[in-house]
Amino acid sequence: MLQPSGIGSSPVRLPTLLQLRAYMKHSGWLSQPPGAGGAIWIKGDAKIGIPTLSRNDPVIAKGVLERLAAHERTSAAALAPKIRYHRMDVTLLRAANDHRITDTIPFEAAATVIGSARKLLRAAGTTAWHERGDIGGNYSRRGDEVLKKARMDHTQEGSFIIPVLVPLPEPPEVAGEQMTLPDMELYTAAPEPFERRVTRTFAQSIMAVKEIIVDPERSPSVSDLHTVVERGVSREFCAALAQILAEPAVGEFETTFDWAESLPGPATMPGSISIEHEAHLKIENAAALLKRSRIDAGSTFSGSIIELRRRTDDPYGFVTVSTVRRGRVSEIRVRLPFSHYQAAVSWHRAQRAVIVEGEVAVGVGRRLVVDHPVKCRPIDELQLALP
């Protein structure tokens, strides 16, 4: 591994030239028309040349990284992971036990953690496409495509930490904007990529299991099961999580989510969620309940807000939610009273996905609409679902 100068003996895992170009484009660097040997990238008075190559060259990548680091007044060691993960959602899976895990982990426990982590992501990929309490082998093809693209990075020191990487697609040229129209306020945003929806479903599922199934002293009710299924929890997700926690060497399982810089993540979603070993029995029982109970989440849908629209002096406003409905990507417009609409504006700005319950009808222009929602609130507001 090459070691850029100025960072001592610690190795730096270099980004590729493709990752460097993507980061520079996002950071405001402009590529000049390429010549025979490459292209000059300009930002203000700074210039960096990148040769045209058909394959990655670590020596050239090292030089570009160092020049970028100097321009940003940081070290190459600090900038390298920022560039490598620029378009990747990173989930750190940490199995901890102060007594049994130090710099190593029992091989059987490691195999369980990795195998079960795959099951967790696969289950989240399916429920991101269609919420269901019991997948029963009917996994989503779209979810499995995300699973195939996911990568596992090298483990990190500190207990047993596995970074799981989900690459995101190229962001749209215009991510969103606020428009000023006569007698109208209008906010728009690009739809959430399905790859981000999968990782977000993973995060909100772990959060729902902890806050609704694990933390309360009582056993979950059928209403509680509805609440967690609406957020992406399935029997398979619970079974895989319980399998990790049941390992004697695992005293605690922690998930940490680091959203790609190219697409800001939900501002209010906890960055880290930990569940202790003793919770595996509660989660196993919840999995059994989900198998016995047919939980139907068909009256609800969730997704990101991609449009807010309101005419001046209108007591109602409209939010458009990008979601998946009946196996198809859909956009559903929801009518809200003004005070509720104002709250939705703040949710939109904070990148918070919402959950909506109500009858979906076909409106003017065959647009899907919910005129009288039973609920519309951020999907991470779990405490509102508890009695």
Side-chain angles (χ1 to χ4, degrees):
M1 181 69 69
L2 291 172
Q3 298 179 10
S5 59
I7 59 172
S9 58
S10 299
V12 172
R13 299 182 59 201
L14 294 170
T16 65
L17 289 173
L18 183 64
Q19 290 169 333
L20 284 159
R21 291 189 185 99
Y23 175 81
M24 291 172 71
K25 181 180 178 181
H26 180 83
S27 302
W29 290 81
L30 298 176
S31 175
Q32 302 306 297
I40 300 295
W41 289 69
I42 296 176
K43 185 176 182 181
D45 296 331
K47 296 181 180 180
I48 296 178
I50 303 180
T52 300
L53 298 171
S54 59
R55 59 182 177 83
N56 189 57
D57 187 318
V59 175
I60 292 175
K62 170 180 177 289
V64 174
L65 174 66
E66 289 180 330
R67 289 193 288 276
L68 271 175
H71 179 265
E72 296 191 11
R73 298 182 180 180
T74 188
S75 68
L79 185 59
K82 184 178 179 181
I83 295 174
R84 290 182 67 242
Y85 300 144
H86 177 65
R87 274 178 34 203
M88 292 186 182
D89 282 336
V90 181
T91 304
L92 300 178
L93 308 177
R94 174 178 174 264
N97 188 320
D98 293 340
H99 303 292
R100 297 291 301 279
I101 302 175
T102 52
D103 58 342
T104 64
I105 185 174
F107 186 59
E108 287 294 326
T112 296
V113 171
I114 293 174
S116 297
R118 178 186 180 277
K119 294 175 184 177
L120 288 170
L121 185 59
R122 190 183 191 198
T126 291
T127 56
W129 189 250
H130 174 54
E131 298 90 345
R132 61 185 77 174
D134 187 2
I135 296 171
N138 297 315
Y139 287 93
S140 160
R141 177 182 58 83
R142 285 290 304 273
D144 282 353
E145 288 173 358
V146 175
L147 179 66
K148 289 177 182 177
K149 290 189 289 186
R151 310 288 294 178
M152 190 184 99
D153 209 347
H154 292 281
T155 57
Q156 298 183 6
E157 291 185 7
S159 300
F160 180 68
I161 302 176
I162 302 173
V164 177
L165 318 176
V166 174
L168 300 183
E170 181 78 26
E173 290 294 329
V174 179
E177 58 183 332
Q178 176 178 352
M179 301 179 187
T180 302
L181 302 174
D183 301 323
M184 171 79 73
E185 62 179 38
L186 178 65
Y187 303 82
T188 64
E192 178 184 52
F194 184 67
E195 293 84 351
R196 162 59 60 79
R197 184 179 174 95
V198 170
T199 304
R200 176 175 59 75
T201 299
F202 190 155
Q204 69 199 28
S205 295
I206 285 276
M207 182 181 173
V209 168
K210 176 176 172 56
E211 295 196 11
I212 296 178
I213 294 175
V214 174
D215 286 351
E217 294 184 3
R218 58 179 176 80
S219 298
S221 65
V222 174
S223 176
D224 293 332
L225 294 182
H226 273 279
T227 299
V228 297
V229 169
E230 288 173 349
R231 285 156 175 80
V233 177
S234 62
R235 174 182 67 84
E236 288 78 0
F237 189 92
C238 287
L241 181 56
Q243 191 174 20
I244 293 174
L245 292 166
E247 275 292 328
V250 177
E252 177 186 66
F253 182 63
E254 181 181 37
T255 51
T256 300
F257 298 92
D258 189 4
W259 308 103
E261 188 176 304
S262 63
L263 180 65
T268 56
M269 187 77 74
S272 180
I273 302 166
S274 61
I275 301 177
E276 295 184 354
H277 164 81
E278 292 76 13
H280 73 90
L281 292 175
K282 271 192 169 184
I283 300 173
E284 287 170 4
N285 290 336
L289 282 172
L290 286 168
K291 186 173 180 62
R292 293 197 302 268
S293 309
R294 295 187 62 84
I295 305 298
D296 180 16
S299 63
T300 65
F301 59 89
S302 66
S304 59
I305 297 173
I306 60 169
E307 183 184 82
L308 299 109
R309 177 188 296 264
R310 177 180 170 270
R311 290 193 177 278
T312 305
D313 299 328
D314 192 331
Y316 289 89
F318 296 86
V319 303
T320 300
V321 179
S322 175
T323 187
V324 177
R325 181 174 183 267
R326 296 179 179 174
R328 301 181 64 178
V329 176
S330 305
E331 295 180 1
I332 303 177
R333 182 172 287 180
V334 183
R335 180 172 177 260
L336 299 174
F338 177 61
S339 60
H340 202 160
Y341 171 82
Q342 284 183 306
V345 172
S346 67
W347 304 337
H348 170 67
R349 290 172 176 167
Q351 308 289 331
R352 300 175 77 181
V354 296
I355 185 166
V356 180
E357 180 179 359
E359 181 180 350
V360 179
V362 179
V364 178
R366 300 194 62 80
R367 175 182 289 276
L368 298 177
V369 296
V370 176
D371 283 327
H372 305 287
V374 177
K375 69 181 176 187
C376 177
R377 64 170 183 257
I379 202 167
D380 54 32
E381 286 188 352
L382 294 176
Q383 69 275 10
L384 293 182
L386 298 176

